[in-house]
Amino acid sequence: MSAGPRRRLLLLLLLPVWGSAAAHNGDLTVRPTCKPGFSEQDYTAFISQNIMEGQKLLKVKFNNCAGNKGVRYETNSLDFKVRADGTLFAAHHLQVPSKQLILVVTAWDPQSLGRWEAMVRFLVADKSQHNGHKPKGRKALPGELVQQQSDTLLPWRQHQSANGLRRQKRDWVIPPINVPENSRGPFPQQLVRIRSDKDKEIHIRYSITGVGADQPPMEVFNIDPVSGRMYVTRPMDREERASYHLRAHAVDMNGNKVENPIDLYIYVIDMNDNRPEFINQVYNGSVDEGSKPGTYVMTVTANDADDATTANGMVRYRIVTQTPQSPSQNMFTINSETGDIVTVAAGLDREKVQQYIVIVQATDMEGNLNYGLSNTATAIITVTDVNDNPPEFTTSTYSGEVPENRVEVVVANLTVLDRDQPHSPNWNAIYRIISGDPSGHFTIRTDPVTNEGMVTVVKAVDYEMNRAFMLTVMVSNQAPLASGIQMSFQSTAGVTISVTDVNEAPYFPTNHKLIRLEEGVPTGTVLTTFSAVDPDRFMQQAVRYSKLSDPANWLNINATNGQITTAAVLDRESDYIKNNVYEATFLAADNGIPPASGTGTLQIYLIDINDNAPELLPKEAQICEKPNLNVINITAADADIDPNVGPFVFELPSVPSAVRKNWTISRLNGDYAQLSLRIMYLEAGVYDVPIIVTDSGNPPLYNTSVIKVKVCPCDENGDCTTIGAVAAAGLGTGAIIAILICIIILLTMVLLFVVWMKRREKERHTKQLLIDPEDDVRDNILKYDEEGGGEEDQDYDLSQLQQPETMDHVLNKTPGVRRVDERPIGAEPQYPIRPVIPHPGDIGDFINEGLRAADNDPTAPPYDSLLVFDYEGSGSTAGSVSSLNSSSSGDQDYDYLNDWGPRFKKLADMYGGGEED
């Protein structure tokens, strides 16, 4: 045995009174003789780590003060169950992974609907303790956990040996501390007391660390450093934090560790303080009409923030109301645990009820309406449409009328009735023509708005062929009918369509009509008969013909029978011919009401005859005056076509004889020949060389064409020189020299004129005047800088400065006051003429003479004269104001001004209150 016994850290559990911490939300009435509940609020028992199925572990005692009849027990763990006598046993074989296991046992009285709870702790003991000290499954009483005191836990256990008492230290598992959430206090509330047996010898200070003490959230728990009592300082919320792990420390006054730290586990006991909350307040689902019972509709989900392992967080669902209650008040049911809504009755019909509103309630406490908290949500169930109503015609027969030869005309509208969802595939109608239209004259289109069938003509009908049609039509939907639904006999109807006769235009059976003939036929030749046919067999009408287009005006047509004759000679080489074809258009019109007309095109293919002689090409050429390799290639052009064209025959005429003497032609091929000099030298100049060209037509035609050949001197390369080209143009050496002299003379005259103009301009600039033109003030208006005379000096009446064109307004004025700024009337005195150009040397005399002339000229504008305005006449209806003056004698009485009202108040005060002042 050691010299001194080791001291121990004792954990003193002080169990405060928590009210209803272990009971459910129901009120517990304190009775003098019996109080329902468990015998203990906390049970503790030792168990082994391996537990067999059915092994008894603990027996709890409960009394409901009524003989426990019908009391049921349950736990919050699926691993353990409770028999009716309170025996707690293992539901299956399990391995306990930790040193302790905590569960809640609930007792439920179906008669009083009360619920009570107790906490059970299982401590995993080692084999020696399990076999030697604790019987299996027996309740561990608090007095058996200690040696010396019933309220003190000894962390170490002592053993005796032959040598005396020996201590063997081992760890002690401190039971967790349970704190109910939402406690009302008062705070702080004591939880446990921690003390060391060394506190008898030395002063010890206690402290706690961990989350909730010195770590956020701070100061949820605190401890008295002297007494070791630990407190909770405020209400707990399990949904915020479900457990806390603290460590208790014991140190001396110097801060030296006295005992090893111990772990404290604090569990927040869940209370039913949260209602179930639906994920959505409104759920939308759908189900097909006619669905069988048990058809899934939708799922609603509610979450409870309370502990899901206890009844506080176990949510159950139920349907509260259903609107409308048709055809049954219970059309749907809900799985109480999963929230799945399914149909429970048959008879869903969208045409009767399109939507159901179901109120779903979620309640915790496993759906107990007395103790559980509830919440509601709305489930909107839409009955979706299925094609269970075939479309039906509103009548069995329809009729319509259509004019012949018209297309895209609506003949009849077919109306149908369909009770399915409008504008859906179950409602949209599709129409088909079953019989009566083998040629496909009609089709039926669906109006997307009204769903009506529009019988439309797509291929023109002919009254002369068919006067009426009897159609059989059928209607169906885009979507197939639902299973078990048959087509109605009203889905078929008949349509009678009458065709009306209209005046149809005559037509040419062969359009375009082509005929072939030779060109050049004489005028009046009958070409063909181009007649039209009137399709109106049941109308007696006459057809008349006329020309619509005849570009060359070569044809005539008989208005009665359509016979075509020539009005002029047809020429294949005309510009109106395209690819040997002449085209004309004719009109055939009947005399119906209204008249109708048709057009026909006649094409005349003209066969070529040899009626055009060939033309020589080119018309002009150039050749050297001495024979060399320089020759002229010639050919011919013929307006005719093969075989009336080449090969051509080129030859020189015998007259004049100089042609064959100077020139020669050699044949290259059927279309080309070469013209060259026959003699060794020919004087430069322009020569007209006639050549006879003959084609190969039958009979052949010839033409004598003249080619202008310029003969010129050539250089060593065989090209004409410039002088030679001029000489070839017909100008001699003398003419060329004369032209050059004229050009030189013209250039000289232009140069002399330019020199004379520059000299004259220079003299004008060098001539000095006595007075600078800019300083010459004669007849000039001098403008000086002015700053203006205000607003009155901005507008000028320039008309006063001009001489009036007429004097009527002056002559007609009555004698009296006259404006002095007017021009005088009557004969004007003769004044000396003002010098126009004064002598430049006497400026002073010039100014004086101008001044005198201005002073003596009554017609000069009087810039500085006094203006007298027009006289307005004598006499005035207004009285004289000359008697008003500002000198008042003071004898006049102005008191009457007070009687004139408030507007004269100021004036009355000024003149009427003199005596008072």
Side-chain angles (χ1 to χ4, degrees):
M1 184 174 181
S2 60
R6 291 189 178 182
R7 303 186 185 273
R8 303 159 183 83
L9 181 62
L10 304 178
L11 175 63
L12 182 63
L13 298 177
L14 301 180
L15 301 176
V17 180
W18 291 99
S20 58
H24 190 59
N25 293 343
D27 295 334
L28 299 179
T29 305
V30 180
R31 297 178 182 175
T33 57
C34 180
K35 180 179 179 181
F38 287 94
S39 61
E40 299 288 342
Q41 292 296 324
D42 294 304
Y43 292 88
T44 305
F46 287 99
I47 60 175
S48 61
Q49 194 169 13
N50 287 319
I51 302 177
M52 304 302 295
E53 181 180 356
Q55 179 180 345
K56 298 179 181 180
L57 304 176
L58 180 68
K59 185 176 182 179
V60 296
K61 293 182 180 180
F62 176 78
N63 185 11
N64 67 345
C65 301
N68 290 348
K69 184 179 181 180
V71 175
R72 300 177 183 177
Y73 299 95
E74 58 186 21
T75 68
N76 63 342
S77 175
L78 299 177
D79 297 330
F80 303 94
K81 294 184 179 180
V82 183
R83 295 191 177 97
D85 60 352
T87 301
L88 186 65
F89 64 95
H92 53 82
H93 177 269
L94 59 96
Q95 182 86 12
V96 180
S98 60
K99 294 183 178 181
Q100 66 174 347
L101 189 64
I102 301 175
L103 61 130
V104 177
V105 177
T106 304
W108 178 54
D109 188 356
Q111 296 181 356
S112 62
L113 298 179
R115 300 177 73 92
W116 295 265
E117 294 180 351
M119 190 74 64
V120 177
R121 297 180 183 87
F122 290 121
L123 303 179
V124 179
D126 56 11
K127 293 183 179 180
S128 61
Q129 182 182 9
H130 181 71
N131 295 330
H133 295 276
K134 293 299 296 179
K136 180 176 67 175
R138 194 171 67 85
K139 174 183 174 183
L141 299 177
E144 298 177 7
L145 300 177
V146 297
Q147 280 186 343
Q148 299 174 352
Q149 299 180 12
S150 60
D151 59 348
T152 302
L153 294 177
L154 296 179
W156 301 276
R157 193 174 297 277
Q158 296 179 353
H159 298 273
Q160 265 187 335
S161 64
N163 297 330
L165 187 62
R166 181 175 61 86
R167 294 179 185 175
Q168 181 181 1
K169 183 177 179 181
R170 72 176 186 78
D171 292 337
W172 179 258
V173 178
I174 304 300
I177 304 169
N178 296 314
V179 180
E181 65 173 335
N182 303 326
S183 174
R184 297 184 179 180
F187 295 98
Q189 277 186 334
Q190 182 177 336
L191 297 180
V192 294
R193 180 183 178 186
I194 301 173
R195 60 179 294 269
S196 172
D197 57 358
K198 292 183 180 181
D199 61 357
K200 297 178 181 180
E201 302 174 1
I202 60 176
H203 293 286
I204 296 179
R205 291 293 181 264
Y206 302 96
S207 63
I208 56 175
T209 60
V211 175
D214 60 346
Q215 299 178 20
M218 308 286 287
E219 298 182 355
V220 177
F221 304 96
N222 59 26
I223 190 170
D224 189 327
V226 177
S227 64
R229 289 182 174 88
M230 191 173 73
Y231 301 91
V232 60
T233 62
R234 59 189 183 212
M236 310 295 290
D237 187 357
R238 190 202 68 84
E239 289 71 40
E240 181 179 347
R241 191 177 183 88
S243 64
Y244 296 86
H245 179 201
L246 304 177
R247 304 201 80 186
H249 306 269
V251 298
D252 58 14
M253 299 301 293
N254 295 325
N256 299 318
K257 182 174 68 172
V258 177
E259 301 286 357
N260 291 327
I262 60 173
D263 293 323
L264 299 178
Y265 293 93
I266 301 174
Y267 293 100
V268 182
I269 301 175
D270 182 47
M271 308 296 276
N272 190 19
D273 58 344
N274 291 279
R275 293 180 180 274
E277 295 291 338
F278 282 94
I279 298 178
N280 299 314
Q281 242 354 79
V282 178
Y283 290 84
N284 291 283
S286 61
V287 61
D288 290 341
E289 61 175 331
S291 297
K292 297 179 180 180
T295 303
Y296 171 81
V297 179
M298 67 169 72
T299 299
V300 296
T301 304
N303 297 323
D304 198 314
D306 292 325
D307 190 357
T309 63
T310 66
N312 297 335
M314 296 181 181
V315 179
R316 299 294 182 265
Y317 304 92
R318 73 185 188 96
I319 293 178
V320 180
T321 60
Q322 168 196 305
T323 305
Q325 298 180 356
S326 173
S328 171
Q329 61 181 358
N330 295 319
M331 295 297 296
F332 306 94
T333 187
I334 188 170
N335 188 306
S336 61
E337 295 184 0
T338 63
D340 294 341
I341 299 177
V342 297
T343 59
V344 72
L348 290 173
D349 191 352
R350 190 205 64 84
E351 287 72 37
K352 295 180 180 179
V353 178
Q354 299 183 2
Q355 190 179 81
Y356 290 91
I357 299 178
V358 177
I359 305 300
V360 179
Q361 184 182 57
T363 307
D364 56 16
M365 299 302 294
E366 298 181 285
N368 191 318
L369 299 178
N370 294 324
Y371 299 101
L373 301 177
S374 302
N375 214 335
T376 60
T378 302
I380 300 176
I381 302 174
T382 302
V383 181
T384 56
D385 183 50
V386 298
N387 195 10
D388 56 347
N389 293 281
E392 298 177 350
F393 286 105
T394 57
T395 182
S396 59
T397 58
Y398 297 87
S399 61
E401 188 178 79
V402 58
E404 63 174 336
N405 301 324
R406 295 281 300 276
V407 293
E408 296 301 326
V409 177
V410 177
V411 178
N413 289 330
L414 312 181
T415 56
V416 295
L417 177 64
D418 196 322
R419 292 185 294 274
D420 289 321
Q421 178 73 36
H423 305 288
S424 68
N426 300 329
W427 180 81
N428 294 335
I430 297 177
Y431 299 89
R432 292 184 297 113
I433 299 176
I434 301 175
S435 62
D437 185 23
S439 301
H441 292 283
F442 305 95
T443 188
I444 304 179
R445 298 167 181 166
T446 303
D447 189 317
V449 178
T450 63
N451 212 29
E452 295 180 354
M454 299 178 293
V455 182
T456 307
V457 181
V458 294
K459 182 179 179 181
V461 295
D462 190 353
Y463 176 81
E464 286 72 26
M465 300 293 295
N466 294 291
R467 299 186 182 183
F469 292 87
M470 299 293 294
L471 307 180
T472 302
V473 298
M474 175 181 287
V475 62
S476 59
N477 293 123
Q478 287 182 354
L481 291 175
S483 177
I485 304 299
Q486 301 295 327
M487 288 292 295
S488 172
F489 71 94
Q490 296 181 354
S491 298
T492 305
V495 181
T496 302
I497 300 175
S498 300
V499 181
T500 58
D501 190 17
V502 297
N503 185 25
E504 300 176 75
Y507 67 94
F508 292 89
T510 54
N511 194 16
H512 302 30
K513 185 176 182 179
L514 177 65
I515 61 174
R516 301 171 63 92
L517 72 154
E518 289 186 351
E519 64 174 329
V521 295
T523 302
T525 303
V526 177
L527 301 182
T528 185
T529 299
F530 196 27
S531 59
V533 177
D534 192 345
D536 296 317
R537 294 178 297 171
F538 303 99
M539 297 181 184
Q540 301 298 326
Q541 299 178 148
V543 178
R544 298 190 64 83
Y545 303 91
S546 60
K547 284 196 304 183
L548 188 62
S549 173
D550 184 11
N553 201 22
W554 285 345
L555 304 175
N556 288 327
I557 187 170
N558 189 296
T560 304
N561 56 19
Q563 189 179 66
I564 306 295
T565 57
T566 59
V569 177
L570 278 62
D571 186 5
R572 192 201 64 83
E573 290 74 31
S574 171
D575 293 336
Y576 299 105
I577 301 298
K578 304 298 180 184
N579 298 325
N580 301 328
V581 175
Y582 180 75
E583 193 171 276
T585 305
F586 299 92
L587 184 70
D590 61 18
N591 57 352
I593 300 176
S597 60
T599 60
T601 301
L602 178 65
Q603 294 179 331
I604 304 174
Y605 185 89
L606 295 177
I607 302 173
D608 183 47
I609 62 174
N610 193 16
D611 57 347
N612 293 278
E615 294 287 336
L616 183 68
L617 293 177
K619 299 295 184 182
E620 295 180 355
Q622 183 175 285
I623 196 171
C624 294
E625 60 185 1
K626 295 181 178 181
N628 54 11
L629 298 178
N630 191 357
V631 296
I632 299 173
N633 293 325
I634 59 176
T635 185
D638 197 325
D640 294 323
I641 60 176
D642 192 67
N644 298 318
V645 288
F648 299 104
V649 177
F650 301 92
E651 56 184 347
L652 296 174
S654 57
V655 178
S657 60
V659 174
R660 290 191 176 186
K661 177 182 177 181
N662 297 333
W663 305 91
T664 181
I665 292 179
S666 59
R667 182 181 180 87
L668 291 178
N669 53 35
D671 295 329
Y672 290 90
Q674 286 184 343
L675 177 64
S676 60
L677 287 175
R678 180 184 293 271
I679 59 179
M680 296 303 297
Y681 172 79
L682 184 63
E683 184 180 358
V686 178
Y687 297 88
D688 291 336
V689 180
I691 298 175
I692 301 173
V693 183
T694 306
D695 61 20
S696 299
N698 185 19
L701 296 180
Y702 68 91
N703 181 27
T704 301
S705 300
V706 176
I707 180 173
K708 288 184 178 296
V709 179
K710 295 180 181 179
V711 179
C712 60
C714 296
D715 56 14
E716 62 276 5
N717 296 325
D719 299 326
C720 285
T721 60
T722 305
I723 299 177
V726 175
L731 295 178
T733 304
I736 295 174
I737 294 174
I739 293 174
L740 292 177
I741 292 174
C742 292
I743 294 173
I744 293 172
I745 293 174
L746 181 61
L747 291 176
T748 303
M749 293 177 63
V750 171
L751 182 61
L752 292 175
F753 179 76
V754 170
V755 172
W756 177 77
M757 289 295 294
K758 287 185 175 293
R759 181 179 180 84
R760 186 170 178 271
E761 184 70 19
K762 185 176 181 181
E763 291 177 355
R764 290 180 57 190
H765 285 288
T766 55
K767 184 178 181 180
Q768 296 294 330
L769 297 176
L770 180 62
I771 302 175
D772 192 346
E774 293 183 357
D775 297 334
D776 190 358
V777 296
R778 292 173 295 177
D779 295 333
N780 291 337
I781 298 177
L782 301 180
K783 181 179 180 182
Y784 298 92
D785 292 335
E786 295 178 352
E787 296 183 357
E791 296 179 356
E792 295 82 357
D793 198 29
Q794 301 301 318
D795 298 327
Y796 303 97
D797 187 6
L798 300 180
S799 63
Q800 301 296 332
L801 305 179
Q802 300 175 358
Q803 180 177 352
E805 296 179 358
T806 61
M807 301 296 293
D808 296 337
H809 68 288
V810 179
L811 297 175
N812 296 332
K813 181 178 290 186
T814 58
V817 179
R818 184 178 299 278
R819 293 173 54 174
V820 299
D821 58 339
E822 291 181 353
R823 185 173 181 175
I825 306 172
E828 299 178 1
Q830 298 295 326
Y831 295 94
I833 299 176
R834 299 171 60 180
V836 178
I837 302 177
H839 194 277
D842 193 357
I843 302 302
D845 295 342
F846 170 76
I847 295 176
N848 292 331
E849 291 179 4
L851 179 61
R852 285 194 300 272
D855 292 339
N856 298 324
D857 187 0
T859 62
Y863 291 106
D864 298 327
S865 58
L866 178 64
L867 299 179
V868 179
F869 296 91
D870 290 344
Y871 181 68
E872 297 183 355
S874 61
S876 176
T877 57
S880 174
V881 296
S882 60
S883 61
L884 297 179
N885 56 69
S886 60
S887 61
S888 174
S889 62
D891 297 334
Q892 188 173 356
D893 185 11
Y894 296 100
D895 292 339
Y896 61 87
L897 296 175
N898 293 320
D899 300 333
W900 288 8
R903 297 193 178 187
F904 293 90
K905 184 69 171 61
K906 185 66 177 177
L907 191 62
D909 294 341
M910 294 173 60
Y911 289 92
E915 295 179 359
E916 296 178 0
D917 296 336

